Amino acid sequence: MTVSAAVTVSAAVEGSLDEAVVDRLIRHVGGHPGTVYGKNGKPFLRDRIRGYNNAAHHAPWVVLVDLDTEGECAPSVRDAWLRQPAPRMCFRVVVRAIEAWLMADAERLAAFIGVARSRVTADPEGLDHPKQTMVNLARLSRRRDVRRDMVPRQGSGRTEGSAYASRLIEYATDRWRPDVAVLRADSLRRAVACLQRLSSEDA
């Protein structure tokens, strides 16, 4: 479904990779990405969620937050964070991390990282730790540059490589297909449906 390109949607997210994903999704439904707030982790978003919701009484907003290990299911987290979203608020919980949405387009991700398609799970939202799975996929890459950028150096104490986020931002922006990924990630499907509704109501 394509909606008016005139609709500007503001957003708030945890970090730079989430920003790239939300930008891609807003464009996917035919909207225009507005200012993206937050980008300073989950606690920062939670402290400001009521302010974002107040703004959504007047203009379209989307807020994305990872489920991580915060709860067993997305609805419980939604209720804990924001029991009464404003009419123009699209508050969505990603199951369990944004990497799961990116893995849901398995064919494109496998080609981008340089692994066999069979290495990418068909059930990304069933993973307990999607980010660790993404790093492990990169560890298997046939491409040295992908391993160098996305896999942490031994002894670095990091959980991912120094260019992990920038690699995935490139993928999310230029290669990832939301219309394919929605078929394997239900929380993504719901987020896209919410954005479509929000945009079409303002068209």
Side-chain angles (χ1 to χ4, degrees), residues 60-163:
W61 270 76
V62 56
V63 176
L64 294 184
V65 60
D66 287 350
L67 176 61
D68 293 324
T69 57
E70 185 171 337
E72 285 302 311
C73 62
S76 65
V77 174
R78 279 203 310 271
D79 289 346
W81 277 51
L82 189 63
R83 189 171 292 274
Q84 293 185 315
R88 291 177 171 178
M89 167 58 75
C90 184
F91 175 52
R92 307 310 309 177
V93 179
V94 182
V95 178
R96 290 195 172 261
I98 205 75
E99 283 85 352
W101 286 8
L102 299 177
M103 270 186 261
D105 184 0
E107 291 79 11
R108 286 283 177 88
L109 180 71
F112 181 77
I113 287 189
V115 298
R117 162 66 185 84
S118 59
R119 295 282 189 182
V120 183
T121 178
D123 181 23
E125 293 191 327
L127 297 169
D128 289 335
H129 302 287
K131 183 173 182 176
Q132 184 60 55
T133 300
M134 185 71 81
V135 171
N136 289 339
L137 282 173
R139 207 182 302 274
L140 298 171
S141 176
R142 296 184 293 269
R143 295 172 48 187
R144 179 182 296 180
D145 59 334
V146 168
R147 298 195 302 272
R148 178 197 64 210
D149 290 350
M150 297 182 68
V151 179
R153 285 186 292 115
Q154 193 167 13
S156 67
R158 297 172 57 103
T159 58
E160 73 281 339
S162 58

Side-chain angles (χ1 to χ4, degrees), residues 40-58:
N40 201 22
K42 184 182 284 187
F44 186 90
L45 273 188
R46 185 162 188 163
D47 287 346
R48 288 158 178 78
I49 187 67
R50 297 202 180 281
Y52 301 145
N53 197 48
N54 288 337
H57 284 284
H58 309 287

